Amino acid sequence: MQKERIALVTGGGRGIGKAIALELGRRGYSVAVNYSRSEKAAEEVVSQIQAMGCRSIALKADVSSAADVKDMFAEAASKLGPVEILVCNAGITRDNLLMRMKNEEWSDVISADLSSLFYCAKEALRPMLKARWGRIIAISSVTGIVGNPGQCNYSAAKAGMTGFIKSLAREVGSRGITANAVAPGYIETDMTSELPAEIKDAMLKNIPSGRIGTPSDVAKTVAFLASDDSEYIQGQVIAVDGGMTM
Ligand code: NDP
């Protein structure tokens, strides 16, 4: 790595976001760990990164709120410096068949999973343009590519993220900034722990790699996209799914 880069990971206290924050710490980055409810978990991730010899802070913000996101970026800039690597990982599911889906189940998922990318990328962009270097990485989902019954809201948000990333790549790609998405498949976290065993077994049968993914599988891909080595990868959606959707 050429210099100590500054990263911000939304939803970095738990699950995939935690693995990403720790992987970036392991590679020498300064990491701002965002959380909305899991303060203790986020503080624990911060301690682990600091123990690796890197700077790290926890930042409370609801990323579905433009005002919270604005304050979060201001705090990150004052405590660590301008964010150079943005990882939009925070996300929720509110599954229901479309016929039964409540308006709030739609709007909560669109706000937390998609509008959050708009708010965060907009805040991150100006200093990146000034520095002529930046990495914007959105954690989408294979569901946004192939769909999933009961997830019209989530699939729309995740597909929206990839359309957003491609347009952004076209807007800023010539200015030293890359915008890419990672689309995890079936990864073992709190989000998937509630799935019934028969659905898990059915998904496993469709994974050529023969195993469920780990948060670390996703984190290593994100760390590569965050690095200088990925500079010519632009506007892509990289599936980390053991071949499930190839
Ligand atoms: P978890 O449910 O384990 O964690 C969700 C994370 O998002 C938590 O850190 C949570 O923080 C944060 N978060 C949720 N809402 C907000 C909000 N409004 N503001 C700030 N942070 C928020 O999920 P995973 O780790 O499994 O998923 C991480 C990402 O990966 C998500 O975007 C998800 O859609 C995506 N993904 C996951 C897959 C999987 O199989 N697990 C597959 C494909 C994609 P807090 O607890 O502080 O609220």
Side-chain angles (χ1 to χ4, degrees), residues 17-162:
K18 174 181 178 178
I20 293 169
L22 291 174
E23 188 63 38
L24 293 176
R26 224 168 272 130
R27 295 180 191 218
Y29 295 83
S30 302
V31 189
V33 179
N34 158 255
Y35 68 94
S36 62
R37 286 163 300 142
S38 305
E39 180 175 8
K40 233 177 131 195
E43 292 291 358
E44 177 55 30
V45 173
V46 165
S47 302
Q48 288 186 43
I49 294 170
Q50 288 170 342
M52 296 169 193
C54 299
R55 296 188 302 152
S56 186
I57 54 170
L59 295 174
K60 180 178 168 70
D62 171 359
V63 292
S64 64
S65 151
D68 272 23
V69 168
K70 199 176 174 51
D71 291 348
M72 172 173 75
F73 273 83
E75 198 178 338
S78 76
K79 291 188 173 159
L80 292 178
V83 172
E84 297 167 295
I85 297 154
L86 167 65
V87 185
C88 284
N89 160 83
I92 58 168
T93 50
R94 295 285 181 269
D95 298 354
N96 218 337
L97 295 171
L98 183 60
M99 290 293 284
R100 294 188 198 137
M101 190 174 284
K102 298 185 185 73
N103 290 350
E104 307 78 65
E105 289 170 335
W106 169 263
S107 54
D108 286 355
V109 169
I110 297 296
S111 299
D113 296 21
L114 180 58
S115 300
S116 56
L117 175 60
F118 165 65
Y119 301 139
C120 291
K122 206 172 155 193
E123 289 297 328
L125 205 53
R126 197 180 298 277
M128 288 182 183
L129 287 168
K130 214 169 145 206
R132 296 190 75 83
W133 197 96
R135 297 282 185 267
I136 295 175
I137 303 161
I139 307 302
S140 176
S141 167
V142 293
T143 304
I145 303 169
V146 298
N148 201 21
Q151 292 197 313
C152 283
N153 49 0
Y154 184 73
S155 311
K158 294 298 181 179
M161 291 178 97
T162 63

Side-chain angles (χ1 to χ4, degrees), residues 172-190:
V172 300
S174 65
R175 315 281 287 276
I177 300 168
T178 67
N180 291 289
V182 173
Y186 172 21
I187 310 294
E188 194 71 68
T189 67
D190 293 346

